[in-house]
Amino acid sequence: MDSRILLRGGLVADGVGATARHADVLVEGHRITAMGVVSTSPGECEVVDLTPGSVVCPGFIDAHVHAEGPLLATGLVEGALAQGVTTLVVGQDGQSWVGANAATAQYLNQYFAPVNGRLEPARDLSVAGFRAAVTGRLCQNVAVLASQGTIRHNVAGMAVGPLQAAERDAARREVEQALADGAVGLSSGLDYLPSRFGMAEEVAEIARPLAAAGRPYVSHLRGYGPDVGAGLTELVSVGRDAGARVHASHLWGTPADLAAAFGAADGAGVALTFDMYPYQRSSTILASLLLPTEVQADGPQGTLAALRDPRQRAGLLAGERFTEDYLRNVYLACVPEDRASLAGRSVAEAAEPSGQTAGEWVLDLLADSGLDAGGHLHRPALTEADLAWLNSHERHCAGSDGIYQGQRPHPRGYATFARLAGQYVASSGPASDSADGDSPDGDSAAAWQSLARHLATTAADAYGLRDRGRLAPGMAADICVIAPSGLSATATYTDPRRNAAGVDLVLVNGVITWRDGHPVPAAHAGELVC
């Protein structure tokens, strides 16, 4: 018999209307069955009387996260669940080993391990295989994107030029199969290899199955900041030619440039959304932050040979990215264990005791680690005002870009949703009630609805998750209850793995998975959703 749970007495921000309202929420089995004033007889269900001032939201959706490793290992991303995140969208940046054949998995284990970790053994793992591996073990829902770079490597390895006709056909068939197996779209990572070798026309051709499936093309753009206009132009052209809506990953640039690009997308008839996290620092593999494409074009072994070649080292050291000024803004996140004490320091600071220049030192780090190093980049051009504009835009949804590898991962994996909550609801504090105690203050109620849309509804719409992202009868019972004290971040760059505070209760598919500040043991209610 399905369980029945009544959440009583909360302010419900359902992600649907203009404002939040007081309502009870009845859950039966996996679904919400009633909202409003709900009466039950004693013993009919578990009644949870919420603390006055609690806010009931749709379970949050992380639109961009690198969580394949933790999900395969434990079925849980605790730092996300502590923030009320019930669905994680993985397969990002075109570089996932979900969908990889054995050779591609081996490549990604060396090239992208500081972001995604390693798949051991480096085996074939299709979307269907990933589903089989995690079924019955998930504490959160997972949505999977097919990955363009992974697929390109499957069919052509590190080939630099355009795919041949037979290779394009094979790549398109892999996209079709991934969608049939439950993928919710196609990602690319055009700063990474071999994803970067695919030009717009090629990507659009392999992305054509998205149109019939009603799924988006999702891209880490070829350019951000001053180059964001060109990056978004390429994204829109792929969407137009493939007949698919598009989504930009971790988008940033000036409001003026972005507004112009959004207008161009609308003019082209291409629906465009984006995700972003509330931090000035980015985080990725150190090779991507520092090394030009041509040095990496032959794959990891070719890159390592180049790093040890005196002539190529000299050329790299003459570049802007190996100056002391640039390397003061690059912080070490993931380093070999024998250098773990250096994690968290800037490259320039870490290099000081060595007697080398910062550029020489970091080239040796990359070579000695076999490229297994990751870092954060502080971006002075991305201002707090720009972030506030981005994260309040109607096209925005929350994406942590969470990375869970290394000694000092970016705190965004543990704090994005909590920090954003403080933007939409002042201090993410309790809902302000009117004098009669029955109706929330209008500004407060609208603010909580804005939070629900940015942290859940827009992402559900972007990825076509039709029964997620809203609270209504018939919808999946993914629910987050925020305490009257509000949702607050505690993770920092120096202590990045601290869970957020302020989520009292989380339900995933109608099962309580988080309570009293802790995950509920053996609450394996998550699914691969599509």
Side-chain angles (χ1 to χ4, degrees):
M1 181 177 179
D2 286 341
S3 63
R4 303 178 81 234
I5 301 171
L6 178 64
L7 305 179
R8 190 161 62 187
L11 178 70
V12 176
D14 58 15
V16 179
T19 63
R21 60 191 175 93
H22 286 291
D24 303 329
V25 180
L26 180 63
V27 173
E28 298 183 85
H30 288 188
R31 300 280 167 182
I32 297 168
T33 57
M35 289 174 55
V37 177
V38 180
S39 299
T40 62
S41 302
E44 280 190 345
C45 63
E46 177 185 355
V47 178
V48 181
D49 286 309
L50 303 178
T51 305
S54 298
V55 180
V56 183
C57 298
F60 300 146
I61 298 172
D62 194 335
H64 184 114
V65 64
H66 299 277
E68 292 95 320
L71 291 167
L72 272 177
T74 67
L76 169 68
V77 182
E78 185 173 322
L81 190 62
Q83 298 176 83
V85 175
T86 57
T87 300
L88 303 132
V89 186
V90 302
Q92 300 288 350
D93 294 330
Q95 303 294 309
S96 177
W97 29 250
V98 178
N101 63 25
T104 300
Q106 185 174 359
Y107 164 72
L108 292 171
N109 274 354
Q110 184 165 17
Y111 175 67
F112 217 58
V115 172
N116 275 355
R118 288 182 171 83
L119 179 65
E120 302 291 355
R123 64 190 192 276
D124 289 294
L125 190 69
S126 65
V127 174
F130 182 73
R131 179 194 297 274
V134 299
T135 294
R137 301 178 59 242
L138 293 174
C139 300
Q140 290 149 290
N141 299 314
V142 184
V144 178
L145 293 164
S147 300
Q148 170 260 345
T150 293
I151 291 171
R152 199 180 202 277
H153 195 281
N154 287 348
V155 302
M158 292 297 292
V160 173
L163 293 180
Q164 300 301 307
E167 293 169 335
R168 291 192 185 197
D169 290 344
R172 188 170 56 252
R173 287 194 298 271
E174 289 204 20
V175 174
E176 290 170 345
Q177 186 61 57
L179 292 169
D181 288 343
V184 299
L186 174 70
S187 77
S188 67
L190 301 177
D191 267 346
Y192 300 117
L193 302 176
S195 195
R196 188 174 184 86
F197 298 143
M199 297 295 108
E201 185 269 335
E202 174 185 303
V203 176
E205 186 170 332
I206 72 168
R208 288 205 173 98
L210 297 172
R215 300 295 186 177
Y217 168 61
V218 181
S219 185
H220 173 132
L221 306 179
R222 211 178 293 271
Y224 290 95
D227 301 318
V228 75
L232 285 171
T233 296
E234 180 180 31
L235 175 70
V236 170
S237 74
V238 171
R240 182 194 62 230
D241 293 347
R245 62 183 182 275
V246 297
H247 183 87
S249 297
H250 40 66
L251 184 65
W252 74 281
T254 67
D257 288 344
L258 293 170
F262 294 161
D266 292 342
V270 176
L272 184 155
T273 53
F274 68 88
D275 60 71
M276 185 49 177
Y277 47 86
Y279 290 91
Q280 287 178 280
R281 287 190 196 179
S282 66
S283 187
T284 186
I285 57 175
L286 208 56
S288 178
L289 289 177
L290 300 177
L291 301 179
T293 300
E294 57 269 21
V295 173
Q296 303 178 72
D298 291 334
Q301 297 311 312
T303 303
L304 291 171
L307 295 180
R308 300 186 189 281
D309 178 79
R311 182 183 299 178
Q312 294 197 65
R313 282 175 69 97
L316 289 169
L317 291 170
E320 179 183 355
R321 292 188 179 187
F322 289 88
T323 64
E324 296 283 328
D325 284 346
Y326 188 85
L327 294 175
R328 285 192 190 97
N329 283 321
V330 179
Y331 296 83
L332 299 171
C334 177
V335 293
E337 279 304 314
D338 62 355
R339 306 192 196 193
S341 63
L342 300 178
R345 300 183 189 181
S346 74
V347 170
E349 179 187 2
E352 285 176 1
S354 71
Q356 297 176 291
T357 68
E360 292 169 334
W361 184 88
V362 78
L363 283 178
D364 285 346
L365 172 67
L366 284 167
D368 294 345
S369 69
L371 304 179
D372 192 2
H376 312 324
L377 174 65
H378 178 67
R379 298 169 287 189
L382 176 58
T383 68
E384 292 292 343
D386 290 345
L387 276 173
W389 184 88
L390 279 162
N391 291 327
S392 61
H393 198 280
E394 62 181 3
R395 300 176 192 258
H396 167 267
C397 57
S400 71
D401 202 2
I403 295 171
Y404 299 96
Q405 311 302 318
Q407 298 89 351
R408 291 285 181 88
H410 197 301
R412 65 197 185 189
Y414 297 80
T416 284
F417 288 77
R419 283 171 65 99
L420 286 173
Q423 176 171 333
Y424 307 129
V425 182
S427 302
S428 186
S432 173
D433 286 353
S434 66
D436 62 15
D438 292 325
S439 301
D441 170 79
D443 291 342
S444 173
W448 284 106
Q449 273 301 62
S450 178
L451 179 147
R453 286 193 294 272
H454 283 276
L455 274 56
T457 314
T458 303
D461 291 346
Y463 287 110
L465 307 179
R466 290 180 292 275
D467 59 353
R468 316 276 163 178
R470 293 172 174 80
L471 300 180
M475 299 293 284
D478 292 345
I479 300 172
C480 166
V481 178
I482 299 175
S485 57
L487 181 55
S488 58
T490 63
T492 63
Y493 287 110
T494 56
D495 193 4
R497 287 190 168 94
R498 296 182 63 187
N499 286 342
V503 169
D504 276 350
L505 198 70
V506 177
L507 281 74
V508 175
N509 295 311
V511 176
I512 295 174
T513 58
W514 181 270
R515 198 171 208 165
D516 300 327
H518 299 282
V520 175
H524 299 147
E527 302 174 349
L528 200 66
V529 299
C530 56

Short mmCIF file of all heavy atoms in Angstrom, two decimals, residues 67-69 71-73 90-91 96-106 108-109 116 118-135 137 144-147 150-151 154 174 177-178 181 528:
data_model
loop_
_atom_site.label_atom_id
_atom_site.label_comp_id
_atom_site.label_asym_id
_atom_site.label_seq_id
_atom_site.Cartn_x
_atom_site.Cartn_y
_atom_site.Cartn_z
N ALA A 67 28.07 15.08 -11.16
CA ALA A 67 27.82 14.20 -10.02
C ALA A 67 27.79 12.73 -10.38
O ALA A 67 27.38 11.91 -9.55
CB ALA A 67 26.50 14.60 -9.36
N GLU A 68 28.23 12.37 -11.58
CA GLU A 68 28.19 10.96 -11.97
C GLU A 68 28.96 10.08 -10.98
O GLU A 68 28.51 9.00 -10.61
CB GLU A 68 28.77 10.77 -13.38
CG GLU A 68 27.92 11.37 -14.49
CD GLU A 68 28.37 12.77 -14.88
OE1 GLU A 68 28.71 13.57 -13.96
OE2 GLU A 68 28.38 13.08 -16.07
N GLY A 69 30.14 10.53 -10.58
CA GLY A 69 30.96 9.73 -9.67
C GLY A 69 30.29 9.46 -8.33
O GLY A 69 30.15 8.30 -7.93
N LEU A 71 27.18 9.61 -7.57
CA LEU A 71 25.94 8.86 -7.74
C LEU A 71 26.21 7.38 -7.96
O LEU A 71 25.49 6.52 -7.43
CB LEU A 71 25.13 9.44 -8.91
CG LEU A 71 24.54 10.83 -8.65
CD1 LEU A 71 24.03 11.44 -9.94
CD2 LEU A 71 23.42 10.75 -7.60
N LEU A 72 27.24 7.06 -8.74
CA LEU A 72 27.59 5.66 -8.92
C LEU A 72 28.15 5.06 -7.63
O LEU A 72 27.92 3.89 -7.32
CB LEU A 72 28.61 5.51 -10.04
CG LEU A 72 28.06 5.34 -11.46
CD1 LEU A 72 29.20 5.27 -12.45
CD2 LEU A 72 27.17 4.10 -11.58
N ALA A 73 28.87 5.87 -6.85
CA ALA A 73 29.51 5.36 -5.65
C ALA A 73 28.53 5.14 -4.51
O ALA A 73 28.55 4.11 -3.84
CB ALA A 73 30.63 6.31 -5.20
N VAL A 90 23.05 15.56 -15.08
CA VAL A 90 24.45 15.22 -15.32
C VAL A 90 24.68 14.98 -16.82
O VAL A 90 23.77 15.10 -17.62
CB VAL A 90 24.86 13.99 -14.49
CG1 VAL A 90 24.64 14.23 -13.00
CG2 VAL A 90 24.11 12.73 -14.95
N GLY A 91 25.93 14.64 -17.16
CA GLY A 91 26.28 14.49 -18.57
C GLY A 91 26.65 15.82 -19.20
O GLY A 91 26.49 16.02 -20.41
N SER A 96 31.09 13.56 -20.46
CA SER A 96 30.72 12.56 -19.46
C SER A 96 31.10 11.17 -19.91
O SER A 96 31.01 10.84 -21.10
CB SER A 96 29.22 12.61 -19.19
OG SER A 96 28.84 11.59 -18.28
N TRP A 97 31.49 10.29 -18.94
CA TRP A 97 31.67 8.90 -19.33
C TRP A 97 30.37 8.12 -19.34
O TRP A 97 30.38 6.93 -19.62
CB TRP A 97 32.76 8.19 -18.53
CG TRP A 97 33.06 8.61 -17.14
CD1 TRP A 97 34.19 9.24 -16.71
CD2 TRP A 97 32.28 8.37 -15.97
NE1 TRP A 97 34.16 9.43 -15.35
CE2 TRP A 97 32.99 8.90 -14.87
CE3 TRP A 97 31.04 7.78 -15.73
CZ2 TRP A 97 32.51 8.86 -13.56
CZ3 TRP A 97 30.57 7.74 -14.43
CH2 TRP A 97 31.30 8.27 -13.38
N VAL A 98 29.24 8.77 -19.07
CA VAL A 98 27.96 8.15 -19.41
C VAL A 98 27.78 8.28 -20.92
O VAL A 98 27.76 9.39 -21.46
CB VAL A 98 26.78 8.82 -18.67
CG1 VAL A 98 25.47 8.18 -19.10
CG2 VAL A 98 26.96 8.73 -17.17
N GLY A 99 27.70 7.16 -21.60
CA GLY A 99 27.66 7.15 -23.06
C GLY A 99 29.00 6.86 -23.71
O GLY A 99 29.08 6.76 -24.93
N ALA A 100 30.06 6.72 -22.88
CA ALA A 100 31.39 6.50 -23.44
C ALA A 100 31.63 5.02 -23.71
O ALA A 100 31.18 4.16 -22.95
CB ALA A 100 32.45 7.01 -22.47
N ASN A 101 32.34 4.74 -24.81
CA ASN A 101 32.85 3.39 -24.97
C ASN A 101 34.12 3.25 -24.12
O ASN A 101 34.56 4.21 -23.48
CB ASN A 101 33.08 3.04 -26.44
CG ASN A 101 34.15 3.90 -27.11
OD1 ASN A 101 35.04 4.44 -26.47
ND2 ASN A 101 34.05 4.03 -28.43
N ALA A 102 34.71 2.06 -24.10
CA ALA A 102 35.83 1.82 -23.18
C ALA A 102 37.02 2.73 -23.48
O ALA A 102 37.67 3.25 -22.56
CB ALA A 102 36.24 0.36 -23.24
N ALA A 103 37.31 2.96 -24.76
CA ALA A 103 38.45 3.81 -25.11
C ALA A 103 38.20 5.26 -24.70
O ALA A 103 39.11 5.94 -24.20
CB ALA A 103 38.72 3.73 -26.62
N THR A 104 36.97 5.74 -24.87
CA THR A 104 36.64 7.11 -24.47
C THR A 104 36.65 7.25 -22.97
O THR A 104 37.11 8.26 -22.42
CB THR A 104 35.28 7.52 -25.06
OG1 THR A 104 35.34 7.44 -26.48
CG2 THR A 104 34.90 8.93 -24.65
N ALA A 105 36.15 6.25 -22.26
CA ALA A 105 36.20 6.28 -20.80
C ALA A 105 37.63 6.37 -20.31
O ALA A 105 37.95 7.11 -19.37
CB ALA A 105 35.50 5.06 -20.22
N GLN A 106 38.53 5.63 -20.95
CA GLN A 106 39.94 5.67 -20.56
C GLN A 106 40.51 7.07 -20.80
O GLN A 106 41.26 7.61 -19.96
CB GLN A 106 40.74 4.63 -21.33
CG GLN A 106 42.21 4.53 -20.91
CD GLN A 106 42.92 3.39 -21.61
OE1 GLN A 106 42.33 2.67 -22.40
NE2 GLN A 106 44.20 3.24 -21.32
N LEU A 108 38.80 9.95 -20.87
CA LEU A 108 38.22 10.87 -19.91
C LEU A 108 38.78 10.65 -18.51
O LEU A 108 38.89 11.60 -17.72
CB LEU A 108 36.70 10.74 -19.90
CG LEU A 108 35.99 11.22 -21.17
CD1 LEU A 108 34.52 10.84 -21.15
CD2 LEU A 108 36.16 12.73 -21.35
N ASN A 109 39.13 9.42 -18.19
CA ASN A 109 39.73 9.15 -16.88
C ASN A 109 41.04 9.92 -16.69
O ASN A 109 41.40 10.24 -15.56
CB ASN A 109 40.01 7.66 -16.71
CG ASN A 109 38.81 6.90 -16.19
OD1 ASN A 109 37.79 7.48 -15.83
ND2 ASN A 109 38.92 5.58 -16.15
N ASN A 116 35.12 15.04 -13.17
CA ASN A 116 34.15 13.94 -13.05
C ASN A 116 34.65 12.76 -12.23
O ASN A 116 33.88 11.84 -11.95
CB ASN A 116 33.76 13.43 -14.44
CG ASN A 116 32.63 14.25 -15.06
OD1 ASN A 116 32.08 15.14 -14.40
ND2 ASN A 116 32.31 13.97 -16.29
N ARG A 118 37.01 9.29 -11.84
CA ARG A 118 37.36 8.20 -12.75
C ARG A 118 36.29 7.12 -12.73
O ARG A 118 35.71 6.83 -11.68
CB ARG A 118 38.70 7.58 -12.35
CG ARG A 118 39.89 8.46 -12.66
CD ARG A 118 41.19 7.77 -12.30
NE ARG A 118 42.33 8.53 -12.79
CZ ARG A 118 42.86 9.56 -12.15
NH1 ARG A 118 42.36 9.93 -10.98
NH2 ARG A 118 43.89 10.20 -12.65
N LEU A 119 36.08 6.53 -13.89
CA LEU A 119 35.22 5.36 -14.01
C LEU A 119 36.13 4.14 -13.97
O LEU A 119 36.93 3.92 -14.87
CB LEU A 119 34.45 5.40 -15.34
CG LEU A 119 33.53 4.21 -15.61
CD1 LEU A 119 32.39 4.18 -14.60
CD2 LEU A 119 32.99 4.27 -17.02
N GLU A 120 36.01 3.39 -12.90
CA GLU A 120 36.86 2.21 -12.73
C GLU A 120 36.00 0.95 -12.68
O GLU A 120 35.11 0.87 -11.82
CB GLU A 120 37.69 2.33 -11.45
CG GLU A 120 38.58 3.56 -11.40
CD GLU A 120 39.73 3.55 -12.39
OE1 GLU A 120 39.91 2.51 -13.09
OE2 GLU A 120 40.42 4.57 -12.49
N PRO A 121 36.26 -0.06 -13.50
CA PRO A 121 37.19 0.00 -14.62
C PRO A 121 36.65 0.88 -15.73
O PRO A 121 35.46 1.18 -15.76
CB PRO A 121 37.27 -1.46 -15.07
CG PRO A 121 35.92 -2.01 -14.72
CD PRO A 121 35.54 -1.34 -13.41
N ALA A 122 37.52 1.27 -16.64
CA ALA A 122 37.11 2.17 -17.74
C ALA A 122 36.32 1.35 -18.76
O ALA A 122 36.84 0.91 -19.77
CB ALA A 122 38.33 2.81 -18.38
N ARG A 123 35.04 1.18 -18.51
CA ARG A 123 34.21 0.27 -19.29
C ARG A 123 33.17 1.04 -20.10
O ARG A 123 32.95 2.23 -19.88
CB ARG A 123 33.48 -0.70 -18.37
CG ARG A 123 32.50 -0.01 -17.42
CD ARG A 123 31.98 -0.97 -16.36
NE ARG A 123 30.85 -0.46 -15.62
CZ ARG A 123 30.96 0.35 -14.57
NH1 ARG A 123 32.16 0.74 -14.15
NH2 ARG A 123 29.90 0.76 -13.91
N ASP A 124 32.53 0.35 -21.04
CA ASP A 124 31.38 0.93 -21.73
C ASP A 124 30.27 1.19 -20.73
O ASP A 124 29.95 0.33 -19.90
CB ASP A 124 30.86 -0.05 -22.79
CG ASP A 124 31.80 -0.18 -23.97
OD1 ASP A 124 31.97 0.82 -24.69
OD2 ASP A 124 32.37 -1.27 -24.16
N LEU A 125 29.68 2.40 -20.80
CA LEU A 125 28.58 2.71 -19.87
C LEU A 125 27.58 3.59 -20.60
O LEU A 125 27.69 4.81 -20.58
CB LEU A 125 29.10 3.41 -18.61
CG LEU A 125 28.08 3.55 -17.48
CD1 LEU A 125 27.75 2.19 -16.89
CD2 LEU A 125 28.59 4.47 -16.39
N SER A 126 26.63 2.96 -21.27
CA SER A 126 25.60 3.70 -21.99
C SER A 126 24.64 4.34 -21.00
O SER A 126 24.70 4.11 -19.78
CB SER A 126 24.82 2.75 -22.89
OG SER A 126 24.13 1.80 -22.09
N VAL A 127 23.71 5.16 -21.51
CA VAL A 127 22.66 5.70 -20.65
C VAL A 127 21.88 4.57 -20.01
O VAL A 127 21.58 4.59 -18.81
CB VAL A 127 21.72 6.64 -21.45
CG1 VAL A 127 20.54 7.08 -20.59
CG2 VAL A 127 22.49 7.86 -21.96
N ALA A 128 21.55 3.56 -20.79
CA ALA A 128 20.84 2.41 -20.24
C ALA A 128 21.69 1.68 -19.20
O ALA A 128 21.18 1.22 -18.17
CB ALA A 128 20.44 1.44 -21.36
N GLY A 129 23.00 1.59 -19.45
CA GLY A 129 23.88 0.96 -18.48
C GLY A 129 23.99 1.75 -17.20
O GLY A 129 24.06 1.18 -16.10
N PHE A 130 24.02 3.07 -17.32
CA PHE A 130 24.03 3.92 -16.13
C PHE A 130 22.75 3.73 -15.33
O PHE A 130 22.77 3.62 -14.10
CB PHE A 130 24.20 5.38 -16.54
CG PHE A 130 24.27 6.35 -15.39
CD1 PHE A 130 25.39 6.42 -14.59
CD2 PHE A 130 23.20 7.20 -15.12
CE1 PHE A 130 25.46 7.33 -13.53
CE2 PHE A 130 23.25 8.10 -14.08
CZ PHE A 130 24.38 8.17 -13.28
N ARG A 131 21.62 3.68 -16.04
CA ARG A 131 20.35 3.44 -15.36
C ARG A 131 20.40 2.12 -14.57
O ARG A 131 20.00 2.07 -13.40
CB ARG A 131 19.21 3.39 -16.37
CG ARG A 131 17.83 3.13 -15.74
CD ARG A 131 16.80 2.76 -16.81
NE ARG A 131 16.58 3.84 -17.75
CZ ARG A 131 15.72 4.83 -17.56
NH1 ARG A 131 15.01 4.88 -16.45
NH2 ARG A 131 15.57 5.76 -18.49
N ALA A 132 20.91 1.08 -15.20
CA ALA A 132 20.98 -0.21 -14.53
C ALA A 132 21.89 -0.16 -13.31
O ALA A 132 21.62 -0.77 -12.27
CB ALA A 132 21.46 -1.29 -15.50
N ALA A 133 22.99 0.60 -13.42
CA ALA A 133 23.97 0.66 -12.33
C ALA A 133 23.44 1.40 -11.11
O ALA A 133 23.84 1.11 -9.98
CB ALA A 133 25.25 1.33 -12.82
N VAL A 134 22.53 2.39 -11.31
CA VAL A 134 22.07 3.19 -10.18
C VAL A 134 20.67 2.84 -9.71
O VAL A 134 20.25 3.28 -8.63
CB VAL A 134 22.14 4.70 -10.50
CG1 VAL A 134 23.56 5.12 -10.79
CG2 VAL A 134 21.21 5.07 -11.66
N THR A 135 19.92 2.08 -10.49
CA THR A 135 18.55 1.77 -10.11
C THR A 135 18.51 1.06 -8.75
O THR A 135 19.26 0.12 -8.51
CB THR A 135 17.88 0.88 -11.17
OG1 THR A 135 17.74 1.63 -12.39
CG2 THR A 135 16.50 0.42 -10.73
N ARG A 137 19.39 2.42 -5.99
CA ARG A 137 20.43 2.93 -5.10
C ARG A 137 20.38 4.44 -4.95
O ARG A 137 21.14 5.01 -4.14
CB ARG A 137 21.81 2.53 -5.63
CG ARG A 137 22.00 1.02 -5.76
CD ARG A 137 23.37 0.67 -6.33
NE ARG A 137 24.44 1.21 -5.50
CZ ARG A 137 25.34 2.11 -5.90
NH1 ARG A 137 25.29 2.59 -7.13
NH2 ARG A 137 26.28 2.54 -5.09
N VAL A 144 19.93 12.65 -17.33
CA VAL A 144 21.20 12.46 -18.02
C VAL A 144 21.15 13.10 -19.40
O VAL A 144 20.18 12.90 -20.15
CB VAL A 144 21.53 10.96 -18.16
CG1 VAL A 144 22.83 10.76 -18.93
CG2 VAL A 144 21.63 10.30 -16.79
N LEU A 145 22.19 13.84 -19.73
CA LEU A 145 22.37 14.37 -21.08
C LEU A 145 23.32 13.47 -21.86
O LEU A 145 24.32 12.99 -21.31
CB LEU A 145 22.97 15.77 -21.03
CG LEU A 145 22.09 16.88 -20.43
CD1 LEU A 145 22.94 18.09 -20.10
CD2 LEU A 145 20.98 17.26 -21.39
N ALA A 146 23.03 13.25 -23.14
CA ALA A 146 24.05 12.70 -24.02
C ALA A 146 25.13 13.76 -24.19
O ALA A 146 24.86 14.96 -24.10
CB ALA A 146 23.43 12.34 -25.37
N SER A 147 26.37 13.34 -24.44
CA SER A 147 27.51 14.26 -24.45
C SER A 147 28.19 14.25 -25.81
O SER A 147 28.71 13.22 -26.24
CB SER A 147 28.51 13.86 -23.36
OG SER A 147 27.91 13.90 -22.08
N THR A 150 31.95 13.25 -25.87
CA THR A 150 32.07 11.81 -25.64
C THR A 150 31.72 11.03 -26.90
O THR A 150 32.45 10.11 -27.31
CB THR A 150 31.14 11.40 -24.49
OG1 THR A 150 31.62 12.00 -23.27
CG2 THR A 150 31.07 9.90 -24.32
N ILE A 151 30.63 11.38 -27.54
CA ILE A 151 30.19 10.70 -28.75
C ILE A 151 31.20 10.91 -29.87
O ILE A 151 31.52 9.98 -30.62
CB ILE A 151 28.78 11.16 -29.15
CG1 ILE A 151 27.76 10.66 -28.11
CG2 ILE A 151 28.42 10.71 -30.55
CD1 ILE A 151 26.37 11.22 -28.27
N ASN A 154 34.00 8.66 -29.29
CA ASN A 154 33.60 7.28 -29.60
C ASN A 154 33.77 6.94 -31.08
O ASN A 154 34.21 5.84 -31.43
CB ASN A 154 32.12 7.06 -29.24
CG ASN A 154 31.85 6.97 -27.76
OD1 ASN A 154 32.77 6.86 -26.94
ND2 ASN A 154 30.59 7.03 -27.39
N GLU A 174 24.07 7.51 -32.21
CA GLU A 174 24.32 7.44 -30.77
C GLU A 174 23.43 8.42 -30.01
O GLU A 174 22.94 8.10 -28.92
CB GLU A 174 25.79 7.70 -30.47
CG GLU A 174 26.71 6.57 -30.92
CD GLU A 174 28.02 6.53 -30.15
OE1 GLU A 174 28.09 7.10 -29.04
OE2 GLU A 174 28.98 5.90 -30.66
N GLN A 177 19.98 6.86 -29.88
CA GLN A 177 19.89 5.77 -28.91
C GLN A 177 19.88 6.30 -27.49
O GLN A 177 19.12 5.80 -26.64
CB GLN A 177 21.07 4.81 -29.09
CG GLN A 177 20.99 3.56 -28.22
CD GLN A 177 19.75 2.73 -28.53
OE1 GLN A 177 19.54 2.32 -29.67
NE2 GLN A 177 18.91 2.49 -27.53
N ALA A 178 20.69 7.31 -27.23
CA ALA A 178 20.70 7.89 -25.88
C ALA A 178 19.33 8.47 -25.53
O ALA A 178 18.83 8.29 -24.41
CB ALA A 178 21.78 8.96 -25.78
N ASP A 181 16.97 5.81 -24.72
CA ASP A 181 17.26 5.22 -23.42
C ASP A 181 16.92 6.15 -22.25
O ASP A 181 17.06 5.75 -21.09
CB ASP A 181 18.74 4.85 -23.33
CG ASP A 181 19.09 3.63 -24.19
OD1 ASP A 181 18.16 2.90 -24.58
OD2 ASP A 181 20.29 3.43 -24.45
N LEU A 528 15.98 7.59 -12.45
CA LEU A 528 16.48 8.24 -13.66
C LEU A 528 15.25 8.82 -14.36
O LEU A 528 14.38 8.08 -14.82
CB LEU A 528 17.19 7.24 -14.56
CG LEU A 528 18.16 7.85 -15.58
CD1 LEU A 528 19.34 8.49 -14.89
CD2 LEU A 528 18.64 6.79 -16.55
#
